[in-house]
């Protein structure tokens, strides 16, 4: 995953799974939060590979990767939680201080 912010910012990356589970992918223990700079492309993960796996018995699973860009470094309190708790946390950030980008990914059986 590569991002190129339009202005200096901080980033949180989450994954939302079908069953309502949400996880913080970045920052993490091996990749602490750092300021990103305007027009500079950054690739993630930078240290460890992310293990995103299919969690259902269906041949395909659709998940969302949620990018939350903020003007200041808002701390997220947990690495694993419910999707609704993550959404509540995002909504606590004033609208003029955040930008949200959601990408849908599909995980298929090989």
């Amino acid at each position: 995953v590569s991002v190129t912010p339009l202005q200096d910012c901080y980033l949180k990356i989450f994954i939302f799974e079908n069953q309502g589970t949400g996880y913080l992918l970045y920052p993490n223990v091996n990749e602490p939060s750092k300021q990103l700079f305007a027009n500079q492309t950054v690739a993630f993960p930078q240290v460890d590979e992310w293990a995103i796996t299919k969690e259902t018995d269906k041949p395909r699973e659709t998940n969302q990767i949620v990018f939350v860009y903020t003007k200041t470094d808002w701390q997220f309190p947990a690495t694993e939680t419910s999707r609704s708790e993550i959404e509540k946390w995002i909504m606590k950030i004033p609208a003029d201080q955040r930008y949200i980008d959601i990408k849908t990914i599909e995980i298929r059986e090989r």
Side-chain angles (χ1 to χ4, degrees):
V1 175
S2 295
V3 300
T4 308
L6 299 177
Q7 58 184 292
D8 294 357
C9 65
Y10 292 86
L11 174 64
K12 303 289 185 277
I13 305 173
F14 300 92
I15 187 163
F16 289 169
E17 296 179 340
N18 282 343
Q19 53 275 67
T21 304
Y23 301 92
L24 177 65
L25 294 174
Y26 173 83
N28 57 58
V29 172
N30 297 318
E31 298 176 293
S33 182
K34 64 180 183 179
Q35 186 175 26
L36 305 181
F37 298 101
N39 303 311
Q40 292 184 6
T41 301
V42 180
F44 296 95
Q46 297 176 331
V47 178
D48 293 330
E49 290 297 317
W50 292 338
I52 299 174
T53 59
K54 190 170 73 63
E55 300 293 330
T56 66
D57 294 332
K58 298 177 183 177
R60 296 178 190 188
E61 180 180 316
T62 303
N63 295 327
Q64 294 177 318
I65 297 182
V66 179
F67 301 84
V68 180
Y69 299 88
T70 57
K71 291 182 178 181
T72 58
D73 194 12
W74 286 73
Q75 298 300 309
F76 182 73
T79 57
E80 183 175 341
T81 187
S82 70
R83 179 178 178 160
S84 65
E85 289 300 315
I86 293 170
E87 290 169 338
K88 288 177 190 175
W89 176 82
I90 292 170
M91 291 302 114
K92 289 179 183 177
I93 303 169
D96 67 338
Q97 297 292 309
R98 64 175 152 83
Y99 175 77
I100 302 165
D101 188 18
I102 301 172
K103 303 293 183 194
T104 300
I105 61 169
E106 187 175 88
I107 303 169
R108 301 178 188 173
E109 289 182 3
R110 291 183 181 196

